[in-house]
Amino acid sequence: MAKKKPYRFPLYLLARGAAWIFSLLPRTAALYTAKSLGSFSFHVVARQREKALTHLRMVYSKEKTEEEIRGIARQVFENAAMTSAELLQFPKMTAEKAAVIVDSAEAVKIYDGLLAHGKGLISMTAHIGNWELLAGIFGLKGYKGAVLARRIYYEPYNSWVVGLRQAVKVPTLYRDDSSREILKRLAAGEIVGLLPDQDIDSLKGVFVPFLGKQAYTPVAPVRIALSTGAPMLPNFLIRENITRYKLVVGQPIFAESYKDLNRDEAVLKMTENWMSQFEKVIREYPGQWAWMHNRWKTQPKSNSSVVLSS
């Protein structure tokens, strides 16, 4: 149970007040305002700035200058602020408005083709671009499904975020709930959205290469795919400019392609597959990924990659 912290409620009220102001602004004005606030935050929120810079230097110190690295870090803060502003405007979002800001026609064809297998679809994305709107685009188009998310332990915040997702027809499932609902939705031919790009040592995982280091990576997405036969699709909603996005769709991963391997080998190879696709997109758009998170917090005890058995 989370500890009671008296300051949470006044901060919550302050956040709701700021959100109300953002909700009144036209979308373009809200995004430009958020970008400025993100740039300001880069300069004043020292702890998160240093986390982002530390991880960027670890990956790019041999190929980018310090000035370039700091520029990427500033973009990370700007993108995070703009993504938050867009989330706050979800109650005003419609399918028609979404169609103006992103061309999803090709992605829709891919989704429909994969859903035609009748086993549902595991839609996988990273904390890059606008991951919340990615789910919202398909929710507004009438696709059935839900996203798997971490429960926010301060319930007013949790209910608020869940309500914002619901405004674009996206239900929320929780990581700490039974997996039965995920399996039920896939069996019904629905989409389950996952954000598996973070280091969560409480979940079973495997070490795979990621941006030059071994990264502890959850195996739940692959285990679900192996159990259900649902295809896995890495896809990302990338910001093209301050008001428009593009959908970057990766290569689908089918469990049946790994049927000649034993289960642990299949889990490892499939995880390496989707992680390499994530890495490619993050390297192409580094200013839009959440570098504040310590993706390499958990390290292997040996040089070998080991799948943690259930």
Side-chain angles (χ1 to χ4, degrees):
M1 182 180 295
K3 295 180 180 179
K4 291 184 178 180
K5 298 181 179 180
Y7 61 81
R8 281 178 169 167
F9 184 63
L11 284 178
Y12 168 73
L13 292 179
L14 183 63
R16 290 302 299 258
W20 178 73
I21 294 172
F22 266 97
S23 70
L24 295 178
L25 292 173
R27 176 174 177 267
T28 301
L31 289 172
Y32 273 103
T33 302
K35 182 179 180 181
S36 296
L37 289 173
S39 183
F40 176 74
S41 298
F42 169 74
H43 294 289
V44 300
V45 186
R47 183 178 178 185
Q48 296 301 317
R49 179 186 68 235
E50 292 309 311
K51 284 182 180 180
L53 288 171
T54 295
H55 302 142
L56 281 163
R57 288 172 185 138
M58 184 180 74
V59 173
Y60 289 114
S61 61
K62 294 181 180 180
E63 53 187 281
K64 295 186 184 295
T65 66
E66 178 66 15
E67 182 180 359
E68 288 174 324
I69 287 172
R70 292 184 72 86
I72 292 171
R74 188 184 66 254
Q75 292 170 18
V76 169
F77 278 73
E78 292 171 351
N79 183 73
M82 287 188 287
T83 296
S84 297
E86 199 99 67
L87 177 64
L88 295 175
Q89 296 219 333
F90 272 10
K92 299 194 296 185
M93 185 63 69
T94 64
E96 292 74 23
K97 290 179 180 179
V100 172
I101 63 178
V102 58
D103 181 0
S104 58
E106 284 302 312
V108 165
K109 291 179 184 177
I110 294 170
Y111 267 59
D112 288 346
L114 294 173
L115 288 168
H117 291 262
K119 297 181 179 180
L121 174 63
I122 302 171
S123 174
M124 306 174 66
T125 194
H127 291 82
I128 191 170
N130 193 331
W131 56 93
E132 295 281 6
L133 185 56
L134 172 61
I137 286 169
F138 290 93
L140 290 169
K141 286 181 176 294
Y143 286 79
K144 300 296 183 183
V147 295
L148 188 66
R150 178 178 64 87
R151 191 187 302 272
I152 301 172
Y153 288 108
Y154 186 59
E155 183 51 36
Y157 274 115
N158 189 71
S159 297
W160 182 21
V161 172
V162 168
L164 289 169
R165 291 192 190 113
Q166 193 63 53
V168 288
K169 316 300 182 186
V170 178
T172 301
L173 305 177
Y174 296 114
R175 287 201 309 244
D176 55 356
D177 287 341
S178 169
S179 61
R180 195 170 302 165
E181 182 65 22
I182 296 174
L183 301 178
K184 178 181 175 182
R185 287 181 177 272
L186 290 173
E190 297 185 10
I191 301 168
V192 173
L194 304 180
L195 272 163
D197 62 324
Q198 295 192 335
D199 184 329
I200 306 172
D201 58 9
S202 61
L203 301 179
K204 289 179 170 53
V206 59
F207 289 99
V208 298
F210 179 63
L211 294 170
K213 293 189 68 175
Q214 291 287 302
Y216 185 75
T217 305
V219 296
V222 169
R223 287 183 169 178
I224 293 169
L226 288 169
S227 298
T228 64
M232 305 165 66
L233 181 66
N235 55 150
F236 315 87
L237 189 63
I238 299 299
R239 196 179 300 279
E240 282 192 300
N241 53 48
I242 201 164
T243 59
R244 280 192 59 81
Y245 295 94
K246 66 177 177 179
L247 257 166
V248 177
V249 182
Q251 293 298 315
I253 303 169
F254 297 95
E256 61 188 33
S257 300
Y258 299 81
K259 62 184 179 181
D260 293 334
L261 302 177
N262 67 46
R263 188 173 178 84
D264 281 356
E265 290 173 337
V267 167
L268 179 60
K269 293 299 182 183
M270 291 172 71
T271 304
E272 288 177 339
N273 186 331
W274 70 256
M275 275 287 280
S276 67
Q277 295 194 53
F278 275 41
E279 176 174 339
K280 180 181 178 181
V281 174
I282 290 166
R283 282 193 178 276
E284 190 168 355
Y285 307 99
Q288 298 190 40
W289 191 53
W291 290 89
M292 291 80 83
H293 173 72
N294 185 358
R295 186 60 186 85
W296 302 271
K297 176 182 64 176
T298 305
Q299 282 296 294
K301 295 180 181 179
S302 68
N303 291 328
S304 59
S305 297
V306 180
V307 175
L308 302 184
S309 300
S310 57

